[in-house]
Amino acid sequence: MTPAPPTGIPAVAVVGIGADGWGGLPGASRAALADADVLIGGPRQLELLPAAECPGERVPWPSPLRPAVPGLLAAHAGRRIAVLASGDPMFYGIGRALTEELGAAALHVLPHPSSVSLACARLGWPVEDTEVVTLVGRPAARLAAALHDGRRVLVLSANAHTPAEVAALLREHGFGPSRLRVLEQLGAEGESSYEGVADTWSHAPGDALNVVAVECRRSPDAPRLGVVPGLPDAAYDSDGQLTKRYVRAATLAALAPAPGELLWDVGGGSGSIAVEWLRAHPSCRAVTIEKNPVRAERITRNAERLGVPALRVVTGAAPAALAGLPTPDAVFIGGGLTAPGLLDAGWEALPPGGRLVANTVTLESEALLTEWYRRHGGELVRLAVAQAVPVGGFTGWRQAMPVTQWSVTKPLTTTTGTGTTSATATATATATVPAQAQNSRS
């Protein structure tokens, strides 16, 4: 249910405006701005409004913006408020923060064509086939996850230096042949553009209001990173504590990430499980817990290089380090299973319907998983994988240590005290083997 607006605050008009300013606004947007007692927006946006037609008090957004929203709205309670936004307020705009604060019923949103719509119109790119990555207030490393040969990507720039940062990131990730086109002041009389190739990019910074269009081209010698779990082991910096490619793919399949869900990756190692959980969808979230500070730093580097810098890394030993973390949708335990209370803490943290997956290569931990399997069900499977290796002048199989994996879904409803339990959830599991037997982390 949409919350009612706070007492004393009338419906807030949220007006999208483009680089073409007042002249590009339709009648309804102009009327909302002309009628407002208070006009809130960025300095650049406020300057686009003619004083004669928009006599309301002008209030620029403070920095940082998000924490200031509640106080600023409360300070003008009872007055007619109009908030200015760039383009479409609900597309990476202030509309989201205002909806979270006031509820949709308290807003009257009047969108303008977004920079993405305008850029695709100039380029002839279908909007639905174009990936969009915003770097406004976000690290450039986010772009790495969107780089795939032949894809078209629009980058919403943070400032005039973003195009050069994009070109540098493309070169670093093996996409130097990619063509870039920078579109400045879209929709304004002074609209302009320039282009080039990432490998030879030498343009000086231009206008701060720009969008970067990228036609991705991968270098022939660059590694190919797919969109499904199971990236090559070489994609990660590791000291050997790495969930190997095949067991990683099986583990992610058992964890079954879905948009918006949160993973706890306990015993992070090199961070591969959390990284590929985050790569499954831009809205996925993950926390990895790693007691070794050197490995924790390595996880952060791996996450940035593979395009998911939002991965939260907690340095500490579980289960103590789990205290205070947000409720997970799934828990993966890839190390330290025999630590007292670890499995209990992971199980208790899960809500009904949450998934727990645990991997091990030791007999002691396998015995523990067997006991939990007996108590809670799910599936317990052990598979072996062998790799072809040279044997003299011939080829033979080298068996790796088997990995035992337990996977279970927490029941949706449980009744106690009557001797009956109703579990409406299902449980799945997979087990497989690491490529190198010497690693204790699967």
Side-chain angles (χ1 to χ4, degrees):
M1 179 181 294
T2 302
T7 303
I9 298 182
V12 174
V14 188
V15 181
I17 189 169
D20 49 357
W22 182 257
L25 293 176
S29 297
R30 291 189 180 190
L33 294 171
D35 189 53
D37 299 319
V38 181
L39 299 162
I40 303 175
R44 180 186 62 81
Q45 296 161 340
L46 291 171
E47 290 175 1
L48 295 173
L49 304 183
E53 284 83 356
C54 303
E57 178 186 354
R58 302 189 179 208
V59 180
W61 285 115
S63 181
L65 187 153
R66 184 61 181 88
V69 171
L72 198 56
L73 293 174
H76 298 286
R79 306 176 71 188
R80 293 186 299 274
I81 299 173
V83 176
L84 287 165
S86 294
D88 186 345
M90 303 307 297
F91 186 72
Y92 292 112
I94 190 61
R96 176 174 183 167
L98 293 173
T99 301
E100 292 171 353
E101 189 64 33
L102 299 176
L107 304 180
H108 180 210
V109 180
L110 297 161
H112 187 277
S114 69
S115 58
V116 169
S117 294
L118 293 173
C120 286
R122 304 294 188 270
L123 298 164
W125 292 3
V127 177
E128 68 272 17
D129 293 334
T130 301
E131 183 110 17
V132 179
V133 177
T134 179
L135 301 186
V136 180
R138 296 167 174 85
R142 296 181 74 248
L143 177 59
L147 300 180
H148 300 282
D149 198 32
R151 288 291 290 167
R152 292 167 168 173
V153 182
L154 281 180
V155 180
L156 307 183
S157 292
N159 51 50
H161 299 281
T162 300
E165 293 176 2
V166 169
L169 185 141
L170 290 168
R171 294 193 297 269
E172 179 185 349
H173 286 78
F175 281 80
S178 301
R179 178 162 293 279
L180 283 70
R181 184 174 175 185
V182 181
L183 301 102
E184 299 180 336
Q185 291 285 334
L186 280 165
E189 290 185 6
E191 179 180 323
S192 62
S193 68
Y194 55 94
E195 60 185 272
V197 175
D199 270 336
T200 56
W201 191 263
S202 59
H203 293 282
D207 194 277
L209 192 64
N210 72 82
V211 172
V212 184
V214 182
E215 295 183 84
C216 296
R217 295 290 180 269
R218 181 169 57 90
S219 299
D221 57 346
R224 183 181 181 278
L225 304 181
V227 297
V228 299
L231 297 180
D233 293 343
Y236 295 93
D237 179 17
S238 171
D239 63 357
Q241 291 297 308
L242 172 70
T243 302
K244 298 303 186 293
R245 184 176 193 174
Y246 302 107
V247 70
R248 191 187 325 131
T251 299
L252 267 295
L255 287 168
E261 289 190 328
L262 172 67
L263 169 74
W264 285 3
D265 177 14
V266 183
S270 300
S272 62
I273 295 295
V275 164
E276 295 189 29
W277 170 281
L278 290 172
R279 284 173 62 93
H281 193 272
S283 67
C284 285
R285 298 166 294 138
V287 181
T288 189
I289 300 91
E290 172 55 57
K291 66 180 180 180
N292 185 310
V294 175
R295 288 178 182 156
E297 292 179 3
R298 184 180 294 116
I299 290 171
T300 298
R301 294 196 301 271
N302 282 332
E304 290 179 350
R305 186 171 62 253
L306 292 169
V308 288
L311 173 59
R312 179 183 174 187
V313 181
V314 174
T315 304
L322 304 178
L325 296 180
T327 300
D329 298 286
V331 174
F332 171 64
I333 303 177
L337 268 171
T338 56
L342 178 55
L343 264 172
D344 300 85
W347 182 256
E348 289 302 318
L350 284 171
R355 290 93 64 201
L356 188 147
V357 177
N359 292 353
T360 187
V361 296
T362 69
L363 293 175
E364 292 78 8
S365 294
E366 183 178 288
L368 182 62
L369 292 184
T370 301
E371 173 59 21
W372 277 74
Y373 167 67
R374 185 187 66 79
R375 289 159 51 190
H376 296 286
E379 288 189 10
L380 187 67
V381 182
R382 185 176 62 176
L383 297 179
V385 170
Q387 289 185 317
V389 296
V391 180
F394 299 92
T395 302
W397 293 107
R398 175 171 294 167
Q399 194 78 28
M401 291 178 67
V403 169
T404 299
Q405 184 179 90
W406 178 52
S407 177
V408 64
T409 299
K410 195 169 186 177
L412 294 177
T413 58
T414 302
T415 303
T416 59
T418 63
T420 62
T421 300
S422 173
T424 58
T426 59
T428 60
T430 314
T432 180
V433 180
Q436 298 179 15
Q438 67 267 28
N439 300 321
S440 60
R441 180 178 170 86
S442 58

